[in-house]
Amino acid sequence: MRTQVAIIGAGPAGMLLSHLLAAEGVGSVVVETRSEEYVASRIRAGILEQSTVDLLRATGLGERLDAEGHRHRGIYLQWPGERHHLDFVDLTGRSVWVYGQTEVQKDLVAARTAAGQQVYYEVGDTALHDLETDHPSVTFTDASGAEVRVRADAVAGCDGSFGPSRCAVPSSVRQQWERVYPYSWLGILADVAPSTDELIYAWHPDGFALHSMRSSSVSRFYVQVPNDTSLDDWSDDRIWTALADRLGHGQDGWSLETGPITDRSVLPMRSFVATPMRHGRLFLAGDAAHIVPPTGAKGLNLAVADVALLAPALAALVRGSSSLADSYSDTALRRVWRCTHFSWWMTSMLHTSGDPFDAELQLSQLRWVCSSRAGAAGLAENYAGLPIGF
Ligand code: FAD
Ligand code: DHB
């Protein structure tokens, strides 16, 4: 089988890339190890930055987002006894939207299905070939067990942190940077109306807590827990007590409403960057090339920014012009490192290490961010997101 771009991975990076390429008149085939239902139901990111929303709207994917998403002007930052609102619109003119990754994925699948996009789900043994030539290919076994080879002009590795694409860049040219954090998040989804109008990021001596949401009747919460935490050790009661303590239930008349927990998981936290993001005719995008800790809500937005750059670069490449493809890795990595720094900074400011000196520095930083317009604007500019192509 022949196509112009073979895309590995049907997550948000892979599906959005196929959508953007189609808009440029470029054909693609997508291959994915999991089932369509599994990919669509994974509970992951919840916040879209301004440029992500602009891109989704501009490419015909904004209808449900506009009807069901919630625009937020900013966030609350808090520590015991104090809660401060940062108004991103006032500070930067940009805002963020609450719209889950599950919903973005459904919109992408609906658009690609309507357009007749070929997606192979439940494939096995994905392998990449001849990447240093101008006729690369991808082989796999399809859901019926038949062996398939997709020949293409380029291969897009959108296969997340555990896919094979990153390791197809030879170790002689690949560089990797990693920071593993000494804590994890325990995340829950609950059938209860949010107890806040906008997200609350809370520093607390017992550890960080985040009150997020998915809709007017579904809330999302996270608490900092030690690495290797078992869900068995966290009863519903223990989770709600930790959230109430850390989020300040009872302070200044604020109360945390609780409800049935419908999903729970423990998420390890790390920063990771692999370079270059292009080798020969292989181009990496999204989690395949980089991971950020979730504190800055950047993972999904960064995947979207990568493919927004990659689609025009591949469209030009298949038509014989290589300059955008040649600059893709360097251009994408500027934003990747900015978001890597921001996510590390938010994580370091808000998670407790047990060291009293660290705690004083964190509180000093929080007070500065919440009392100085320059400090607040720096956080706001990064959180609401820099323009694509920054
Ligand atoms: P993915 O969504 O991982 O998609 C990659 C796809 O490639 C997957 O569907 C995978 O099955 C497929 N694949 C893998 N191997 C192969 C193969 N061999 N052949 C074919 N296909 C393959 N970000 C936030 O901003 N906020 C959050 O709260 C948040 N929570 C998260 C929770 C979890 C558990 C995880 C893992 C991530 C979370 N993220 C969060 C990060 C965010 O979800 C990711 O950054 C985003 O999904 C990246 O999209 P992607 O398409 O690059 O990768
Ligand atoms: C969510 C996750 C984040 O990491 C974050 O910073 C904000 C919101 C969420 O899942 O809703």
Side-chain angles (χ1 to χ4, degrees):
M1 171 188 312
R2 182 158 170 92
T3 188
Q4 287 172 299
V5 180
I7 300 176
I8 307 176
M15 291 304 269
L16 181 59
L17 181 62
S18 80
H19 181 74
L20 299 178
L21 286 173
E24 303 250 12
V26 175
S28 64
V29 169
V30 183
V31 302
E32 164 63 52
T33 40
R34 303 289 195 160
S35 68
E36 182 178 332
E37 299 69 37
Y38 180 90
V39 177
S41 61
R42 283 186 297 213
I43 309 292
R44 288 185 170 180
I47 298 290
L48 305 184
E49 61 185 42
Q50 178 84 50
S51 46
T52 298
V53 169
D54 293 346
L55 179 78
L56 295 177
R57 282 178 175 158
T59 56
L61 294 167
E63 197 177 318
R64 221 161 54 87
L65 164 66
D66 282 327
E68 298 172 26
H70 292 270
R71 176 174 176 261
H72 283 192
R73 292 185 65 93
I75 58 166
Y76 296 95
L77 277 181
Q78 78 168 48
W79 54 98
E82 295 202 39
R83 180 177 294 170
H84 297 265
H85 187 246
L86 298 190
D87 188 320
F88 301 161
V89 179
D90 174 40
L91 290 159
T92 69
R94 296 163 76 79
S95 40
V96 293
W97 275 256
V98 168
Y99 194 65
Q101 182 166 333
T102 46
E103 306 314 302
V104 175
Q105 185 74 29
K106 278 183 213 151
D107 295 344
L108 282 166
V109 170
R112 297 318 298 136
T113 304
Q117 173 69 44
Q118 184 150 31
V119 184
Y120 286 90
Y121 287 100
E122 300 180 65
V123 307
D125 302 326
T126 312
L128 299 79
H129 310 274
D130 303 323
L131 299 169
E132 290 167 7
T133 72
D134 58 7
H135 48 270
S137 63
V138 174
T139 54
F140 57 92
T141 51
D142 72 12
S144 70
E147 288 182 18
V148 182
R149 179 180 293 267
V150 179
R151 299 175 198 279
D153 297 322
V155 175
C158 302
D159 44 359
S161 47
F162 302 110
S165 295
R166 184 175 59 249
C167 293
V169 178
S171 53
S172 55
V173 296
R174 188 170 13 114
Q175 268 196 288
Q176 300 191 162
W177 290 265
E178 184 170 33
R179 169 72 44 93
V180 176
Y181 298 88
Y183 30 72
S184 303
W185 279 9
L186 191 162
I188 63 162
L189 203 61
D191 280 339
V192 59
S195 302
T196 177
D197 58 340
E198 299 195 337
L199 273 59
I200 306 172
Y201 287 79
W203 183 97
H204 190 277
D206 294 349
F208 170 71
L210 171 59
H211 185 337
S212 182
M213 59 196 75
R214 287 291 178 273
S215 69
S216 53
S217 57
V218 176
S219 297
R220 178 86 165 137
F221 298 95
Y222 300 95
V223 283
Q224 176 187 341
V225 291
N227 284 345
D228 301 322
T229 288
S230 165
L231 283 174
D232 298 339
D233 295 333
W234 283 77
S235 64
D236 290 14
D237 196 37
R238 184 174 177 198
I239 293 171
W240 287 118
T241 302
L243 285 166
D245 288 347
R246 300 184 195 188
L247 290 168
H249 177 82
Q251 281 173 31
D252 297 327
W254 184 80
S255 55
L256 176 70
E257 301 303 321
T258 65
I261 297 175
T262 57
D263 187 88
R264 67 189 77 207
S265 58
V266 174
L267 318 173
M269 303 188 47
R270 68 184 180 126
S271 300
F272 176 84
V273 180
T275 67
M277 288 172 65
R278 182 248 178 121
H279 178 73
R281 289 285 173 122
L282 169 66
F283 297 80
L284 302 177
D287 281 15
H290 41 73
I291 301 289
V292 289
T295 324
K298 283 287 162 251
L300 172 60
N301 293 295
L302 207 43
V304 168
D306 284 350
V307 298
L309 275 182
L310 184 54
L314 291 177
L317 184 69
V318 302
R319 293 184 180 118
S321 166
S322 64
S323 61
L324 286 177
D326 292 343
S327 59
Y328 167 70
S329 179
D330 287 347
T331 309
L333 282 166
R334 282 214 303 272
R335 189 188 193 87
V336 168
W337 278 114
R338 176 87 302 279
C339 292
T340 299
H341 177 270
F342 176 65
S343 304
W344 164 85
W345 177 74
M346 285 284 280
T347 301
S348 312
M349 179 169 68
L350 288 162
H351 292 74
T352 44
S353 67
D355 180 330
F357 182 76
D358 287 350
E360 291 304 329
L361 293 183
Q362 290 173 322
L363 289 168
S364 168
Q365 179 84 342
L366 282 163
R367 278 187 218 105
W368 176 68
V369 165
C370 292
S371 60
S372 147
R373 190 169 173 93
L379 188 152
E381 190 170 271
N382 283 280
Y383 193 109
L386 295 148
I388 300 272
F390 154 80

